[in-house]
Amino acid sequence: MNGYVDGRKLRFEHRRGEVLRAATEHALDHGLAGLSLRKVAQTVGVSHATLVHHFSTKDQLVAEIVDLVLTQSLALPDLADDDPEPLGTIWRRATSDQGRRYIRLFTAITGHAMHDNPMLRDAVARSMQQRTALLAAGLVRHGCPEPEAVALATSLLSTLRGLLVDLLVTDDEKRVRAAFDDLATELDRRSSAWPTPGAGPTPAGS
């Protein structure tokens, strides 16, 4: 019948996001190794049939978990344009207890992606491109010349990922923090030569 809305389907669609977030929490706690729809269903507290209804296969569920984790890792959609220390804000969030959980799984996903797993490789590549574009746009808003923004964003994200992996593996807060401070100082030095965001051309004779 035209115009008929299946209320049960709508209810499932509403719960889908909740189920995905709960499944992601499972992956954050236990990793992706050995993950199965039945195990996730048991942990999350839904039936196996409900999980299959939402995600069809384990690969589909893993793909969506990966997208969510990669979106959260080093992504700050709520970062204010006028944040005086955006790099510091990213670092503080990434090194918080919750941030470290996402970075840890992000690192594991990246490792799996390099070992003949096309699904993960495509997800990681897509995420890196998105994160780079977002950071490059933020740099431009802070005055970075557009021709330099993508290269600088790539360098910053690569360095941040390396420092965060170092921190997670060694737990050497002092040494890694000193390296981050050095990165932030260099960015400050470089950005001091950028024009003030929103400033128009300098009037003649001024």
Side-chain angles (χ1 to χ4, degrees), residues 9-64:
K9 181 178 180 181
L10 288 178
R11 185 168 67 253
F12 276 144
E13 288 178 349
H14 176 69
R15 290 198 64 198
R16 192 177 192 281
E18 297 174 16
V19 173
L20 177 58
R21 286 191 293 274
T24 302
E25 285 296 313
H26 173 90
L28 288 167
D29 288 335
H30 304 287
L32 294 177
L35 182 143
S36 70
L37 289 181
R38 290 192 181 278
K39 185 179 294 184
V40 171
Q42 183 178 10
T43 302
V44 171
V46 298
S47 69
H48 179 258
T50 296
L51 208 59
V52 171
H53 171 82
H54 286 313
F55 304 102
S56 302
T57 66
K58 170 188 168 180
D59 284 348
Q60 177 65 29
L61 175 61
V62 169
E64 297 203 32

Side-chain angles (χ1 to χ4, degrees), residues 76-83 86 133-146 149 194-199:
L76 295 177
D78 60 335
L79 186 64
D81 290 347
D82 59 352
D83 189 322
L134 286 171
L135 183 55
L139 289 169
V140 170
R141 288 196 300 271
H142 279 79
C144 178
E146 287 194 32
W194 295 345
T196 302

